[in-house]
């Protein structure tokens, strides 16, 4: 029994994973193409052994060649589905894990769990969701890739995005200053006129003991926010430094609000007592601490804290997104000026 040649071994390794009815045709095609390539090298003076080895090496891995004959993809997700998969996965990863983390943390906080348990439970839940999202989303597109199913998403020029406007524009400055002005007006109205009138007298929502020093700290933050908005407008674009400054201001407000809320010094205890009386909830005493110990108000305090944290978190993320976009636009503009046909 003679040993098989390299060509016979190569062809056998190639066709063994193909369907039986296709193996004979592929064998004949490979034998002919390999023989022609070997003959061409022999005419150039190579020995048969060297020519055969060189031809088979150029053909590459038999498994890859067989996949080409069988039209079988050797990737999980190819270019046909990759962008759709990536866009969907980014949307899911940006929204779902954060929502799960917040929901778990909120539930654990309301149930009175320890800080370590709240953090660990929230992180573990969000991490598990990330793994599940990546696995199942990828699996769906792997199946679509193998089945050759059309996702129904076809690109056309109508899907081109609009050019991004300058993130440091006049409209953003006006909106920021108007919002800050409304905030100042609301604070003054709550203190001197009152949003809630009880028996003809104003009942402030914020604790009157915050005046003057606690509210003064808030007014300082509001002024700094106004100055920051003007600086962004003057520069015309966001930068890493501005994103850092925005983060610092946002965290300063978060620290101010949460510190007062946790000490029971943010909301007027008389206002809480009035709400409790209207709602039928009894308190042993009328002070803020007793109000905080009531089940309903404890839940409301937790919801308020989470609401403030979510707002601050979004403000921070939005600032960094604008900074990254501005940096990318600057890089694209610089690259465009280096190309002859670009303006």
């Amino acid at each position: 029994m003679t040993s098989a040649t390299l060509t016979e071994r190569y062809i056998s390794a190639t066709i063994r994973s193909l369907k039986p009815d296709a193996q004979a045709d592929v064998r004949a095609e490979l034998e002919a193409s390999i023989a022609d390539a070997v003959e061409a090298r022999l005419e150039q003076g190579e020995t048969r052994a060297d020519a055969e080895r060189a031809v088979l090496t150029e053909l590459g891995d038999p498994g890859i060649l067989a996949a080409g004959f069988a039209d079988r993809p050797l990737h999980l997700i190819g270019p046909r589905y990759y962008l759709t998969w990536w866009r969907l996965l980014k949307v899911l990863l940006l929204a779902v894990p954060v929502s799960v983390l917040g929901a778990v943390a909120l539930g654990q906080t309301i149930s009175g769990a320890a800080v370590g348990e709240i953090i660990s439970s929230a992180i573990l839940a969000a991490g598990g969701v990330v793994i599940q999202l990546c696995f199942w989303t990828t699996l769906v597109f792997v199946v679509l890739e193998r089945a050759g199913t059309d996702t129904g998403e076809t690109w056309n020029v109508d899907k081109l995005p609009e050019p991004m406007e300058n993130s440091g524009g006049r409209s953003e400055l006006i909106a920021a200053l108007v919002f800050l002005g409304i905030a100042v007006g609301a604070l003054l109205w709550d203190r001197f006129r009152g949003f809630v009138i009880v028996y003809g007298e104003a009942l402030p929502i914020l604790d009157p003991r915050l005046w003057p020093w606690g509210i003064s700290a808030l007014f300082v933050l509001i002024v700094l926010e106004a100055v920051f908005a003007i600086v962004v407008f003057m520069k015309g674009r966001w930068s890493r430094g501005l994103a850092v400054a925005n983060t610092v201001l946002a965290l300063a407000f978060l620290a101010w609000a949460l510190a007062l809320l946790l000490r029971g010094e943010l909301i007027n205890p008389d206002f809480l007592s009035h709400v409790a009386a209207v709602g039928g909830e009894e308190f042993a005493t009328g002070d803020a601490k007793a109000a905080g110990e009531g089940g309903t108000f404890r839940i409301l305090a937790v919801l308020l804290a989470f609401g403030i944290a979510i707002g601050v978190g979004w403000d921070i993320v939005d600032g960094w997104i604008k900074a990254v976009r501005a940096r990318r636009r600057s890089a694209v503009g610089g690259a465009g000026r280096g190309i002859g046909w670009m303006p």
Side-chain angles (χ1 to χ4, degrees):
M1 180 178 179
T2 59
S3 60
T5 64
L6 288 177
T7 298
E8 291 172 344
R9 289 163 55 191
Y10 186 90
I11 294 175
S12 176
T14 302
I15 67 174
R16 65 186 176 187
S17 62
L18 301 178
K19 295 180 179 179
D21 56 353
Q23 291 183 4
D25 292 338
V26 173
R27 175 183 288 276
E29 181 180 343
L30 283 177
E31 287 176 345
S33 61
I34 292 173
D36 291 342
V38 170
E39 288 298 327
R41 286 182 173 273
L42 291 177
E43 292 176 359
Q44 296 176 2
E46 295 185 23
T47 64
R48 178 168 293 276
D50 291 340
E52 183 181 30
R53 181 176 292 275
V55 169
L56 298 179
T57 301
E58 288 179 357
L59 285 175
D61 192 320
I64 298 177
L65 191 61
F69 281 113
D71 195 21
R72 183 174 62 247
L74 294 179
H75 45 256
L76 287 178
I77 302 174
R80 182 181 181 185
Y81 300 103
Y82 178 82
L83 289 178
T84 304
W85 165 79
W86 179 233
R87 289 165 183 162
L88 176 60
L89 188 61
K90 284 194 295 184
V91 171
L92 293 175
L93 290 178
L94 285 174
V96 179
V98 175
S99 301
V100 171
L101 187 146
V104 172
L106 178 60
Q108 293 280 50
T109 303
I110 292 176
S111 65
V115 175
E117 184 179 354
I118 294 173
I119 295 175
S120 61
S121 299
I123 292 178
L124 287 175
V129 168
V130 169
I131 294 173
Q132 294 291 333
L133 284 176
C134 292
F135 175 78
W136 291 109
T137 304
T138 303
L139 179 62
V140 168
F141 279 90
V142 168
V143 173
L144 292 176
E145 183 76 50
R146 297 314 184 264
T149 305
D150 188 3
T151 61
E153 180 175 342
T154 56
W155 187 89
N156 55 61
V157 293
D158 295 330
K159 293 187 176 182
L160 286 172
E162 294 292 335
M164 290 183 294
E165 297 180 357
N166 191 333
S167 61
R170 186 183 302 274
S171 60
E172 185 172 309
L173 172 64
I174 294 174
L177 295 180
V178 168
F179 175 78
L180 294 174
I182 292 174
V184 171
L187 290 171
L188 295 174
W189 186 277
D190 179 67
R191 176 65 179 89
F192 298 105
R193 299 297 298 270
F195 289 102
V196 179
I197 306 299
V198 178
Y199 302 120
E201 295 185 1
L203 183 63
I205 297 175
L206 294 181
D207 194 333
R209 292 174 296 180
L210 291 174
W211 294 79
W213 303 113
I215 291 296
S216 296
L218 182 58
F219 280 150
V220 169
L221 290 176
I222 291 175
V223 171
L224 291 177
E225 284 283 358
V227 172
F228 175 80
I230 295 173
V231 171
V232 173
F233 173 73
M234 296 298 293
K235 287 184 173 293
R237 58 187 292 272
W238 280 70
S239 63
R240 183 179 300 175
L242 290 175
V244 171
N246 181 65
T247 301
V248 172
L249 287 174
L251 292 178
F253 171 73
L254 180 64
W256 178 87
L258 293 186
L260 293 175
L261 186 62
L262 292 175
R263 294 203 305 262
E265 299 174 1
L266 183 62
I267 307 300
N268 185 3
D270 293 334
F271 172 74
L272 294 177
S273 297
H274 173 70
V275 173
V278 172
E281 183 167 341
E282 298 296 334
F283 290 86
T285 62
D287 59 15
K289 181 177 180 181
E293 291 172 352
T296 301
F297 284 105
R298 182 179 180 280
I299 294 175
L300 292 177
V302 171
L303 293 175
L304 177 60
F306 270 79
I308 294 173
I310 291 173
V312 169
W314 171 247
D315 183 43
I316 293 173
V317 171
D318 183 56
W320 282 102
I321 290 175
K322 290 176 179 177
V324 171
R325 287 177 176 173
R327 184 177 181 182
R328 288 177 178 174
R329 286 199 300 271
S330 178
V332 171
R337 288 190 293 272
I339 302 176
W341 53 268
M342 292 291 288

